[in-house]
Amino acid sequence: QVQLVESGGGLVQAGGSLRLSCAASGGTFSTYVVAWFRQAPGKEREFVSFCTRSGDYTYAESVKGRFTISRDNAKNTVYLQMNSLKPEDTAVYYCAAGSRTGTRLADYRYWGQGTQVTISS
């Protein structure tokens, strides 16, 4: 089974930046679409971004222009660069892998355990 481990979360002030990483093991990472989701306290888990093997990507409207997804297939790692962070970005961020693109939880078979991102005012 594919294992995904997120890292890079933390506490930053509004306007700051963080870079999240999602490292994969136990499978053929390069064949998967990889996505980021987030879940704020008391809210449903929501789609943030996905990236294909070839580097095609899309973003949720709420993060467009501020977040950038990328992948390094040689390192089996996907990144999420988050700039101009806002308090409403506070959430647990999860990476996920699947066989095709999508914006719903059910589109992805493998999930990491999440990393906390907290943005202070």
Side-chain angles (χ1 to χ4, degrees):
Q1 297 291 312
V2 173
Q3 296 184 66
L4 304 173
V5 179
E6 304 94 337
S7 62
L11 173 64
V12 298
Q13 293 182 338
S17 298
L18 281 174
R19 188 192 191 199
L20 305 183
S21 298
C22 174
S25 62
T28 308
F29 176 79
S30 63
T31 66
Y32 290 104
V33 175
V34 176
W36 288 95
F37 289 76
R38 67 186 183 184
Q39 188 166 18
K43 297 184 178 180
E44 298 288 330
R45 193 171 299 185
E46 67 175 357
F47 170 78
V48 175
S49 181
F50 70 69
C51 184
T52 68
R53 177 189 178 188
S54 61
D56 294 328
Y57 54 84
T58 193
Y59 300 94
E61 187 67 28
S62 59
V63 306
K64 193 174 299 181
R66 299 187 298 120
F67 291 11
T68 302
I69 191 171
S70 62
R71 67 191 293 162
D72 187 336
N73 288 323
K75 296 182 178 179
N76 291 339
T77 301
V78 169
Y79 305 96
L80 186 68
Q81 178 67 47
M82 305 185 295
N83 299 324
S84 302
L85 285 162
K86 306 174 181 179
E88 50 263 45
D89 294 318
T90 295
V92 176
Y93 283 71
Y94 300 88
C95 67
S99 59
R100 63 178 183 173
T101 60
T103 60
R104 299 179 180 273
L105 274 64
D107 293 322
Y108 298 90
R109 178 180 297 179
Y110 305 104
W111 291 83
Q113 295 300 307
T115 185
Q116 177 70 50
V117 171
T118 303
I119 313 302
S120 62
S121 299

